[in-house]
Amino acid sequence: RPADPAARNRPAAGIRYYKSDTYKRAALSLALHHVAVRNNRKSGKVTQVAQSKVYPDAASALKGITFDGMTVMSGGFGLSGNPENLITALKEDGTKNLTVIANNCGADGLGLWVLLNNGQIKKMISSYVGENKLFEELYLTGKLELELNPQGTLAERIRAGGAGIPAFFTKTGVGTLVAEGKEAREFDGQTYVMERALVPDVSLVKAHVADKAGNLQFRLTARNFNPAAAMAGKVCVVEV
């Protein structure tokens, strides 16, 4: 470590991180890495010295982790805290037969609606389906599957997925359509219904600030489902 305090803050010579300073909204992957290298100027030898989780754009961050029939979880509540650039990149990727887990499916022309309109979503797992005429039309005509959850149950299913809890019991929904086909048990004289955790193949998340290690900060109410979604996914890609 250099004795000079100023020298400590200077970047190491010959280290290159694969990122872009021109792309406004970088996407950070918390699972797949690009590799930073050190070039020895005398011998020409290239040595791997660090891993960078920074990608130049949303499309690059999604490359190689999408596939038809996958399950995608998206942060956001209404139109707040949506990873819009990642959603657009997923649309352009063309992946089909998606199961999408999110509080809602956007609104007309906005958010996850673009995937719905592009015919990429097979099933929605959500808690609110209003303000979306396309969603209504597709569901009522049998072209879209829907698993409707009480909002607190959805939030806990996502949190449980991130915490490694496979299932939990709740009183919410007991005696209603929500409980049909699910295991029920009595605890202390009260009936509870079992809910399974949600663990998507990929989580798409919107954060306000992120560092190269993948640590995130969220802004005000745009936080909403994003932290829980980030922890629940097998792979998490974050837009900042």
Side-chain angles (χ1 to χ4, degrees):
R1 178 182 293 253
D4 180 8
R8 297 177 186 176
N9 298 323
R10 288 197 295 267
I15 294 181
R16 178 163 63 100
Y17 291 95
Y18 293 82
K19 67 176 184 176
S20 170
D21 294 324
T22 59
Y23 196 81
K24 185 177 181 181
R25 294 178 182 271
L28 307 181
S29 171
L30 303 189
L32 301 180
H33 307 151
H34 284 304
V35 178
V37 299
R38 175 179 287 120
N39 297 310
N40 187 312
R41 296 175 181 174
K42 293 184 178 180
S43 66
K45 184 179 179 181
V46 178
T47 306
Q48 295 183 0
V49 294
Q51 290 183 322
S52 172
K53 299 178 181 181
V54 181
Y55 287 76
D57 52 54
S60 298
L62 293 179
K63 186 176 181 180
I65 62 174
T66 61
F67 56 91
D68 290 346
M70 69 186 296
T71 299
V72 178
M73 182 180 290
S74 177
F77 183 92
L79 297 177
S80 174
N82 286 272
E84 296 178 7
N85 290 280
L86 286 169
I87 291 171
T88 299
L90 187 58
K91 171 182 175 290
E92 295 172 352
D93 180 77
T95 308
K96 296 186 180 299
N97 296 321
L98 300 174
T99 294
V100 176
I101 305 166
N103 176 70
N104 59 293
C105 196
D108 294 342
L110 301 168
L112 291 168
W113 182 94
V114 300
L115 299 179
L116 199 63
N117 186 59
N118 205 38
Q120 293 174 258
I121 300 178
K122 176 184 178 182
K123 179 180 180 179
M124 279 297 305
I125 301 175
S126 56
S127 64
Y128 180 68
V129 296
E131 301 178 72
N132 193 323
K133 295 178 181 178
L134 178 61
F135 191 112
E136 177 185 6
E137 177 186 342
L138 293 175
Y139 175 67
L140 292 178
T141 56
K143 297 178 182 178
L144 177 67
E145 299 176 34
L146 171 61
E147 184 179 325
L148 194 61
N149 293 250
Q151 191 167 94
T153 299
L154 179 66
E156 184 62 12
R157 292 181 72 189
I158 296 171
R159 189 200 71 82
I165 301 170
F168 61 92
F169 285 90
T170 176
K171 291 178 68 176
T172 305
V174 171
T176 72
L177 291 173
V178 171
E180 287 190 359
K182 298 176 182 177
E183 180 181 347
R185 290 190 187 181
E186 284 196 8
F187 298 93
D188 301 322
Q190 300 290 322
T191 302
Y192 292 76
V193 63
M194 189 179 77
E195 297 284 356
R196 294 295 306 271
L198 293 170
V199 181
D201 296 302
V202 174
S203 289
L204 306 181
V205 169
K206 175 65 181 293
H208 183 57
V209 178
D211 64 16
K212 293 176 181 178
N215 297 299
L216 310 175
Q217 290 184 349
F218 303 92
R219 180 170 174 79
L220 304 176
T221 56
R223 175 185 179 92
N224 51 68
F225 282 88
N226 280 295
M231 293 184 287
K234 297 175 183 176
V235 175
C236 179
V237 184
V238 183
E239 174 185 320
V240 294

